[in-house]
Amino acid sequence: MFDVIIAGCGPTGAMLAAELRLHDVRVLVLEKETEPASFVRIVGLHIRSLELMAMRGLLDSILQHGRRRPAGGFFAAIPKPAPKGLDSAYAYLLGIPQPVIERLLEEHAIKLGAQVRRGCAVAGFEQDDEGVTVELSDGEQLRSRYLVGCDGARSTVRKLLGVGFPGEPSRTDTLMGEMKVGVPQEEIAAKVTEISETHQPFWLRPFGEGVYSVLVPAAGVSDRAEPPTLEDFKQQLRTIAGTDFGVHSPRWLSRFGDATRLAERYRVGRVLLAGDAAHIHPPIGGQGLNLGVQDAFNLGWKLAAQIRGWAPETLLDTYQTERHPVAEDVLDNTRAQVELLSTEPGPQAVRRLLTELMDFDEVNRHLIEKITAIGIRYDFGEGPDLLGRRLRDIDVKQGHLYGLLRRGRGLLLDRTERLTVGGWSDRIDYLADPTAELDVPCVLLRPDGHVAWIGDDQQDLDDHLSRWFGKPAD
Ligand SMILES: Cc1cc2nc3c(=O)[nH]c(=O)nc-3n(C[C@H](O)[C@H](O)[C@H](O)COP(=O)(O)OP(=O)(O)OC[C@H]3O[C@@H](n4cnc5c(N)ncnc54)[C@H](O)[C@@H]3O)c2cc1C
């Protein structure tokens, strides 16, 4: 009997397994593939995901495998630098191959004690009042208290659960890949600027070491069921640019559609959905993996609390009430970005207008906070603007705030030095620091770093501790 079975060891499943293990939850991850994915797709880890990695002590090892890039220029590929003074200690984008992220997260989960079984596909399940019986494709049956489908866009768990996945089917395919070019950079730059004005979606961006990221429409290219070839890219480049830039030595080539769908529910009884199993959208802006990892971060401590027995009655349901609107917003901003990449005159005019508007700091800041997920504010009720937002990493007397969140526990950061976490000290750490860089007296942070309470009154604090962390220990 496991506490939680997770279907799928992609980035979402691995992150969730690790978060659950921080609370000693017995976790089994079932992954249908026998080997980790080798498909090299460079993804961008946006600011909020880098913050999560910093909170769990993973950032240093992840940085060793990635390439820091400026945070700006990702919204619909409009080349505007990020505004100055972004509210984060990690205000950059990290370009990193997806298989590396997956490996590091899986290793992290295993190190914390998660079991990962490869070559095991979830084929069915049944839930009852006490738990879920999970059936594998070879007929083996396993039992757990909860099942989480982190099994990607074609999620078996979601389908078996009968949860609707409304949205738009794919209308247009795009080719994306990384390869070397055979002509000098200056020659490319001039041509690319010219073509970008008349052709979208299109880019040819240097990615370092002579490698370029290439994005071209897939219209008219071979069979959709077949993986794209270098020749497909050459053909599309010749059509658009009159030259194929001598592209060669591809690192990876892919084709993706623009289907956009969102699961109607994230939870049915003891079965939950997270990551691509719950939402899909085109990769423009690079938010999918980030969104899934952040789902896992939101769900982990809540599901652990449910299993440990201290979760307030409605805590687990806040996973859906908090994360569903976030995914809705990502789907919407991606729809907008897809429109902005259209070659039609109307969308092109809107693109020009938005490009102008982004010269206003507030517009640029709003879009970048959206795409990097640092602008998220969960609805925790009335209160100061900081309530419901994540707190940036700040200096505290013991070093960095995020360094104190590694164990996945709540934290009371008290500048008044008068308050106490009392009977919740088995779930919440306490730091008295009158010098902390905060302009409020005291904040209560959830294990995901979001601000659950602000104030200086012990009774009010106790009410909020009960709301988020259940009854105090005797
Ligand atoms: C070209 C391209 C570029 C992208 N760039 C970015 C980017 O820059 N930034 C970004 O954030 N996102 C990006 N994405 C999106 C990102 O790749 C996905 O959002 C991310 O992989 C989702 O992670 P996941 O763990 O939810 O699902 P997946 O990565 O799909 O993992 C699901 C796992 O479940 C396993 N599985 C499936 N069915 C079963 C079953 N029945 N039983 C057991 N296991 C099962 C699968 O084998 C897989 O390992 C990009 C996508 C594409 C196509």
Side-chain angles (χ1 to χ4, degrees), residues 11 21 34 52 77 138 179 226 314-315 325 336 381 392 401 417 429:
R21 280 306 303 154
T34 46
L52 306 193
D138 64 2
M179 55 206 78
E226 295 294 318
T314 53
L315 184 67
R392 60 173 280 146
L401 175 71
E417 299 181 287
D429 293 323

Side-chain angles (χ1 to χ4, degrees), residues 382-399:
E382 300 252 312
D385 184 61
L386 187 60
L387 185 70
R389 294 187 186 275
R390 101 298 176 229
L391 187 61
R392 60 173 280 146
D393 197 3
I394 57 173
D395 287 338
V396 290
K397 67 180 182 191
Q398 293 180 7

Side-chain angles (χ1 to χ4, degrees), residues 6-14 30-33 37 39 41-46 49 74 93 98 102 118 120-123 150-157 176-177 252 254-257 274-279 281-293:
I6 297 172
C9 196
T12 307
L30 298 170
E31 168 53 56
K32 82 171 159 55
E33 301 297 334
F39 177 69
R41 177 195 303 158
I42 297 287
V43 298
L45 281 187
H46 284 295
S49 298
F74 286 87
L93 174 120
Q98 180 156 341
E102 291 179 3
R118 291 194 160 271
C120 295
V122 170
C150 299
D151 49 346
R154 295 190 177 86
S155 171
T156 304
V157 175
M176 187 170 163
W252 58 271
S254 75
R255 174 202 287 259
F256 58 86
D276 275 17
H279 37 69
H281 56 84
I284 307 298
Q287 296 166 94
L289 180 145
N290 288 270
L291 186 60
V293 163

Side-chain angles (χ1 to χ4, degrees), residues 225-247:
E226 295 294 318
T229 62
L230 183 64
E231 191 45 49
D232 292 333
F233 279 78
K234 286 184 169 176
Q235 182 192 311
Q236 296 304 89
L237 284 169
R238 283 195 292 264
T239 308
I240 293 174
T243 165
D244 61 19
F245 299 98
V247 290

